[in-house]
Amino acid sequence: MSDLSDEKIREEAKKALREKGLKCVIGWNAEGTPTFASTAEEIDKLAFNKSSVNNLVPYLTYEIRSQRGKTRDGKDKVVVPVGIVVRGCDSKALLLLLNEKILARSEVFIIGVPCTGVVDPHAGGALFRKCVKCAMRNPVVFDVLASDKVQEDEKDYSEVEAIERMSQEERWALWEEILADCIRCHACKRSCPVCYCDECLLDPTDVAVKMDTSAEEKAYRPRWVERSVNVPENLVYHLARLPHLVGRCVDCGECERVCPRRLPLRLLTAKLEKDVKDIFDYEAAKEEGQKPLIAMSCMEDDNGFIM
Amino acid sequence: MSGSQAAGKGAEAIPCAEGEQFEPKIVAFLCNWCSYAGADLAGVSRLQYPTNIRIVRVMCSGRISPMLVLRALKDGADGVLVSGCHPGDCHYLKGNLYTRRNLQLLRSMIEFMGIEPDRFQMSWVSASEGGKFADVVKTTVEKVRKLGPNKKFTTEKREGGE
């Protein structure tokens, strides 16, 4: 925000680099470009302002997981810790990864920055829609905070509720138009901080199914979604993304931000989040050590839709 | 076959090629321990139910991932039925409970995107409930028959052909 918090980010980053022996600190520079700073000079370029739009957590996951592995004598390789600057929404994603034990708390050094919203470069200086009313402005997990905490808003589901009130035909007309616009570049999936699988069932497989392709080969590489880009395939692609985000999506809005067609993808994840809250009274990344929703089973769940 | 008999009264026929009644294709995923045995009992007891149903036996309803449901719909099924043991009776203790959580949200998301949620049905049928299985199939077929062909998920049907 102010120069003061930039100073604080740089000061803490330098201190941690020196004392904790960080590999690098991931942050934004003044133009908002993601930056990997591993020296004091590079750290002086770190900043946080209205153009710090990227969620940096996917970079962190990559930086740490690429260090994992076994040494020749079968021991785990030592992971050099990595520092990161996170906003409130990023910190939620990071907390989820920590809860899922994808990252260990000792492997990350977190500089939290309370955030009052970042600017959508395509909206002529206006804030991102997700930032206008935001319920997670303050980081939930951090080692140091770069500035004072800010006031948070109530979670706003008014857009989702507006669609819920539509008739079924209106809803389909809306989504058909959106899906017809999708070019299936998979950017929403690649940029998602909680989608970290190396191999994804939505990746197009390059196994050509020929006359002599055995059943076994086909079974190893099922093609759940065809490569062709049309409404039904796009529909299945977007519907297939969602079950993987149940109780995990933290609504950071990266999918919507990176979409080259500017599709309102956050409507889907917001609806999912709302359902999870309404039906199961569960919220993703609410506290440390939280169990995943799908890994908990409950006899008392709603049975109403079942014959 | 018995399909025409069981079509029942309330079902409004969607006119097909020559004024014939629309016969939906329904993929049913039945768990090995309860619902498949229930379907078997329905057969052994000579209960009549519509023939629109194609049964896939799985070891547990916990195996049904939302992908299987979506893939069935995309590959031309007009409806999908998932059936497992009653809660608490699962052979693997909790499989059906996990599935219930997953598929409840899938159903809600399908509805949100403007697809008829009735295309996806779920039921609990135990091994002794042959009669219930026949009823479940009848209800499912009638509901899907009312909805007509599944056009939103398939390219061919969208472009006019069958």
Side-chain angles (χ1 to χ4, degrees):
Chain A
M1 220 49 30
S2 61
D3 295 337
L4 217 67
S5 68
D6 285 355
E7 284 303 315
K8 176 91 170 157
I9 291 175
R10 291 171 197 159
E11 185 192 311
E12 292 292 344
K14 277 182 198 161
K15 204 168 118 195
L17 195 70
R18 209 169 45 236
E19 287 171 8
K20 296 183 191 281
L22 301 182
K23 190 183 173 207
C24 61
V25 177
I26 309 174
W28 307 271
N29 67 14
E31 286 84 50
T33 313
T35 308
F36 295 65
S38 47
T39 60
E41 294 79 62
E42 285 170 340
I43 283 179
D44 276 333
K45 294 198 183 109
L46 292 186
F48 175 74
N49 54 38
K50 291 279 176 200
S51 51
S52 310
V53 290
N54 292 58
N55 185 338
L56 303 172
V57 175
Y59 298 119
L60 176 75
T61 317
Y62 178 78
E63 276 294 317
I64 290 183
R65 292 181 98 200
S66 60
Q67 293 186 47
R68 295 251 163 84
K70 298 270 181 198
T71 55
R72 275 196 171 175
D73 40 351
K75 289 180 189 139
D76 284 335
K77 278 188 189 164
V78 179
V79 174
V80 185
V82 177
I84 186 169
V85 188
V86 290
R87 300 165 294 175
C89 44
D90 310 343
S91 77
K92 279 236 170 192
L94 184 49
L95 180 60
L96 189 103
L97 296 177
L98 293 170
N99 282 347
E100 294 186 348
K101 300 189 171 61
I102 294 304
L103 308 174
R105 190 65 183 82
S106 58
E107 293 166 349
V108 283
F109 179 78
I110 309 164
I111 304 171
V113 281
C115 159
T116 50
V118 289
V119 169
D120 186 351
H122 298 274
L127 291 183
F128 274 106
R129 280 196 303 149
K130 65 162 181 173
C131 295
V132 178
K133 270 194 173 181
C134 177
M136 39 185 187
R137 298 196 187 279
N138 297 313
V140 288
V141 54
F142 54 84
D143 289 298
V144 282
L145 267 189
S147 60
D148 296 332
K149 292 199 173 184
V150 292
Q151 181 77 37
E152 291 179 342
D153 304 309
E154 281 289 301
K155 189 85 203 179
D156 178 31
Y157 288 120
S158 55
E159 287 177 37
V160 174
E161 279 157 3
I163 298 184
E164 280 173 349
R165 278 193 296 272
M166 289 180 180
S167 75
Q168 192 203 303
E169 288 77 28
E170 284 171 336
R171 279 201 298 263
W172 175 246
L174 173 80
W175 284 108
E176 194 177 23
E177 199 176 317
I178 293 172
L179 292 169
D181 241 11
C182 173
I183 55 173
R184 276 251 301 290
C185 61
H186 290 208
C188 40
K189 171 173 83 73
R190 290 300 302 166
S191 66
C192 179
V194 301
C195 271
Y196 47 69
C197 297
D198 293 329
E199 207 171 315
C200 177
L201 92 166
L202 292 170
D203 282 337
T205 63
D206 49 5
V207 178
V209 177
K210 292 176 293 202
M211 290 289 280
D212 56 347
T213 307
S214 68
E216 197 183 16
E217 279 172 295
K218 281 193 239 172
Y220 271 116
R221 298 306 295 268
R223 194 182 285 179
W224 291 103
V225 182
E226 299 294 328
R227 289 184 189 177
S228 49
V229 176
N230 50 39
V231 172
E233 300 293 340
N234 293 350
L235 173 64
V236 174
Y237 168 78
H238 286 287
L239 275 175
R241 235 163 44 84
L242 296 171
H244 298 256
L245 298 174
V246 168
R248 304 180 65 238
C249 176
V250 294
D251 198 22
C252 70
E254 274 295 276
C255 42
E256 189 171 283
R257 184 186 70 79
V258 297
C259 182
R261 307 291 292 178
R262 320 229 66 76
L263 305 178
L265 297 177
R266 214 164 60 85
L267 284 177
L268 290 175
T269 50
K271 162 75 177 163
L272 191 67
E273 203 186 29
K274 182 169 173 284
D275 277 352
V276 166
K277 204 181 238 172
D278 290 351
I279 303 174
F280 303 114
D281 194 21
Y282 183 94
E283 207 179 309
K286 201 176 179 189
E287 59 211 4
E288 268 176 67
Q290 195 183 20
K291 277 183 95 182
L293 175 77
I294 289 299
M296 295 188 290
S297 64
C298 185
M299 281 292 286
E300 282 78 42
D301 276 353
D302 175 32
N303 218 6
F305 73 109
I306 297 174
M307 282 190 280
Chain B
M1 301 270 289
S2 61
S4 51
Q5 298 168 16
K9 22 199 187 323
E12 283 169 16
I14 305 282
C16 272
E18 288 108 34
E20 272 177 25
Q21 201 181 24
F22 163 63
E23 289 298 343
K25 267 185 207 163
I26 289 166
V27 176
F29 295 101
L30 308 184
C31 96
N32 178 49
W33 303 100
C34 296
S35 298
Y36 195 81
D40 203 20
L41 181 66
V44 172
S45 324
R46 296 178 165 263
L47 296 170
Q48 293 275 343
Y49 63 84
T51 53
N52 306 56
I53 190 165
R54 277 80 168 154
I55 293 175
V56 179
R57 184 179 62 152
V58 292
M59 286 311 282
C60 177
S61 54
R63 194 257 176 271
I64 306 302
S65 94
M67 280 320 289
L68 290 173
V69 177
L70 293 174
R71 183 64 190 259
L73 288 170
K74 181 164 79 75
D75 284 357
D78 296 303
V80 175
L81 170 68
V82 174
S83 190
C85 310
H86 286 271
D89 292 350
C90 178
H91 187 78
Y92 307 100
L93 306 179
K94 284 175 179 176
N96 51 1
L97 304 181
Y98 291 128
T99 281
R100 179 167 64 181
R101 286 212 149 165
N102 254 325
L103 296 186
Q104 183 175 9
L105 288 165
L106 178 75
R107 191 179 154 101
S108 158
M109 289 313 298
I110 286 181
E111 195 177 358
F112 185 69
M113 290 188 86
I115 294 147
E116 306 85 352
D118 278 352
R119 291 205 187 276
F120 167 65
Q121 296 289 340
M122 205 167 160
S123 68
W124 304 137
V125 173
S126 82
S128 60
E129 292 175 325
K132 183 178 177 187
F133 180 77
D135 288 344
V136 162
V137 176
K138 272 179 212 160
T139 326
T140 309
V141 171
E142 269 174 39
K143 278 185 180 168
V144 177
R145 199 195 301 276
K146 265 187 208 164
L147 297 175
N150 169 20
K151 289 182 180 161
K152 291 171 185 170
F153 272 99
T154 42
T155 1
E156 307 89 66
K157 288 183 185 174
R158 287 166 63 82
E159 281 155 9
E162 260 304 302

